[in-house]
Amino acid sequence: MKQTWLSTNFFVFFFTWGIFLPYWTVWLITKGLTAQQAGIVISIGLLVRAFSTSYIFPALCKRYWLSHVSLIVAFLSLIILVCFLPFNNLAWLMLVMVFFSLIYPMLLPINETKASILSKEENGIDYGKCRLWGSFGFILSSVLTGWVASKNANNIIYLFLLGNLFILILSLIRSPSSLRVKLSQRAGGSFELLKSKSFLICLLLSMVLQGTHAAYYNYGVIYLKHIGINSVYIGGILVLAVLAEIGFFYISNRVFTKFDVATMFLLAGIASIIRWSSVYFFENPLVFVFSQPLHALTFGLTHFAFMTFVNQYISKDKIPSAHGLYASLAMSLTTGVLTLVSGYLYLYSPGFPFLGMALVVAPSLFLCPMLKKLTRQSSTFQV
């Protein structure tokens, strides 16, 4: 029952995430913004998101039950989202985006924190099989939003509103008792985590490996057009990555828990170098297609490795801070920085951003032996 509840939470949230990430820029343009202005609004949102997930989310978890934090965030997200509707000028849309980015992105670490606590305290919770429903939700919303946008791009926000309404309804359902607690940590929980060498290395590896998806997320479609792929087939090619991710999460608990965290990161890093360098060196549609299943390792295994580290080595009171830092630095800030780097490299060649990402990953692999040594020495510690 608890596994079904967690799976549903992942599905509904990632349904909205699959609208927000790929299509929010498209909707902002329907409000009369230029592509450049929409990019500015999105960039400001990324910066604000980094602050809210790393600082505001852990602070809320100290003051309220995690289940109440979910309800508060879901309610405020829906209210602020409605505020986008009446405005059409850059200044007001930017202001609403600031408030929205303070609240809505916290749903990402909220769901991961729920998963970590339930994995620690409840028997029979299979994180991978719960998380794969998030990937299903992402695929469904991406396809559905694409169809809706083809009819009228202004309808994107209404589908987004509907998804957020479902999140609010789900937040009203009674949560497991282990989530009806305050995660009372001492002040400066995030800073305490960063003093831990093992956590810092784990976070740095996550930042590099997740951040290097920036070229793929932002320039993948343009690159496919550059190498001659018809637009009709691009969506199907991109879905292959998410399908591989679903397959990975289905087998992750059964297969990859046999590996230590450092080995998981090493495998993810090697897969990243192979994936991004092959796209650069072979400007061939088939090579790109065959590189897509590696998303299971470059994204899925990186994410699973971080979750495993949190479950094994982070004390319950610091879990919100750990997931807040991950969402802030690995999923937002680093991706934003490497997006700028990719844009600069793209000026030279459509393939250069992928080569750049492979070169960014390579030095990080030297951190894996250090992490292995630290976790072996401290096999029973909790940060």
Side-chain angles (χ1 to χ4, degrees):
M1 194 69 180
K2 290 170 185 174
Q3 178 138 338
T4 302
W5 179 86
L6 184 59
S7 299
T8 306
N9 272 265
F10 274 125
F11 178 86
V12 175
F13 166 69
F14 278 99
F15 181 89
T16 66
W17 201 240
I19 301 168
F20 182 65
L21 281 189
Y23 292 102
W24 198 239
T25 302
V26 176
W27 182 78
L28 287 171
I29 291 172
T30 69
K31 301 292 280 185
L33 302 188
T34 65
Q36 184 180 22
Q37 289 173 329
I40 292 171
V41 173
I42 296 295
S43 298
I44 289 173
L46 282 169
L47 292 174
V48 173
R49 183 200 307 178
F51 169 75
S52 69
T53 53
S54 63
Y55 181 76
I56 298 177
F57 168 61
L60 286 173
C61 289
K62 288 168 59 179
R63 191 179 182 93
Y64 304 102
W65 289 2
L66 183 59
S67 55
H68 289 170
V69 174
S70 294
L71 180 58
I72 292 166
V73 171
F75 176 74
L76 291 177
S77 295
L78 187 61
I79 296 301
I80 298 170
L81 185 56
V82 172
C83 294
F84 276 106
L85 290 170
F87 301 115
N88 292 298
N89 66 75
L90 178 61
W92 280 107
L93 287 170
M94 196 177 294
L95 181 63
V96 179
M97 187 65 177
V98 166
F99 285 105
F100 188 67
S101 298
L102 280 171
I103 305 299
Y104 170 73
M106 284 194 281
L107 290 167
L108 180 59
I110 282 172
N111 280 289
E112 297 296 353
T113 299
K114 289 175 182 176
S116 285
I117 292 173
L118 289 174
S119 296
K120 273 180 176 287
E121 301 193 356
E122 306 286 347
N123 292 324
I125 295 293
D126 185 327
Y127 171 77
K129 289 185 179 179
C130 293
R131 179 58 178 77
L132 70 82
W133 283 101
S135 301
F136 272 126
F138 193 94
I139 289 178
L140 177 62
S141 66
S142 295
V143 172
L144 185 58
T145 310
W147 178 77
V148 167
S150 70
K151 304 296 180 182
N152 185 344
N154 193 48
N155 290 332
I156 291 171
I157 194 169
Y158 298 112
L159 190 60
F160 196 25
L161 279 165
L162 183 63
N164 276 267
L165 178 61
F166 279 121
I167 291 176
L168 178 58
I169 293 170
L170 196 58
S171 299
L172 293 170
I173 298 173
R174 187 176 178 83
S175 59
S177 57
S178 54
L179 302 180
R180 297 197 295 274
V181 292
K182 293 181 186 177
L183 300 174
S184 54
Q185 54 185 316
R186 289 172 292 182
S190 296
F191 294 106
E192 286 185 20
L193 282 172
L194 294 174
K195 289 178 184 177
S196 162
K197 287 184 181 179
S198 56
F199 177 78
L200 185 59
I201 291 173
C202 179
L203 184 61
L204 285 171
L205 284 165
S206 300
M207 288 168 63
V208 170
L209 293 171
Q210 295 293 18
T212 52
H213 288 83
Y216 173 72
Y217 293 148
N218 293 282
Y219 296 97
V221 173
I222 300 173
Y223 176 83
L224 286 170
K225 289 181 179 178
H226 168 72
I227 61 175
I229 299 293
N230 190 305
S231 297
V232 174
Y233 303 111
I234 289 176
I237 291 172
L238 297 180
V239 164
L240 292 175
V242 190
L243 290 174
E245 179 186 316
I246 290 170
F248 167 82
F249 284 124
Y250 183 77
I251 65 168
S252 56
N253 268 42
R254 191 166 63 252
V255 175
F256 286 95
T257 48
K258 300 172 185 176
F259 298 96
D260 60 77
V261 172
T263 301
M264 290 187 215
F265 277 124
L266 181 62
L267 291 172
I270 292 170
S272 294
I273 293 172
I274 293 171
R275 184 183 186 187
W276 307 134
S277 59
S278 66
V279 171
Y280 169 72
F281 285 112
F282 304 97
E283 288 196 355
N284 183 289
L286 281 178
V287 171
F288 192 97
V289 168
F290 283 113
S291 74
Q292 285 292 80
L294 287 173
H295 192 76
L297 301 178
T298 62
F299 174 84
L301 186 56
T302 300
H303 184 75
F304 187 75
F306 183 83
M307 285 293 298
T308 301
F309 183 92
V310 170
N311 293 345
Q312 290 181 354
Y313 300 115
I314 303 297
S315 57
K316 181 179 176 180
D317 64 310
K318 293 187 180 68
I319 287 176
S321 293
H323 283 301
L325 286 168
Y326 177 75
S328 168
L329 300 178
M331 305 299 284
S332 300
L333 196 60
T334 310
T335 304
V337 171
L338 290 178
T339 296
L340 294 175
V341 173
S342 298
Y344 179 76
L345 293 173
Y346 185 81
L347 294 175
Y348 292 91
S349 166
F352 264 28
F354 299 98
L355 177 63
M357 298 305 101
L359 293 174
V360 168
V361 170
S364 72
L365 299 188
F366 292 101
L367 293 172
C368 294
M370 295 171 60
L371 182 60
K372 182 184 282 284
K373 183 179 178 181
L374 286 167
T375 51
R376 274 182 177 173
Q377 289 174 345
S378 308
S379 59
T380 59
F381 83 99
Q382 283 207 322
V383 178

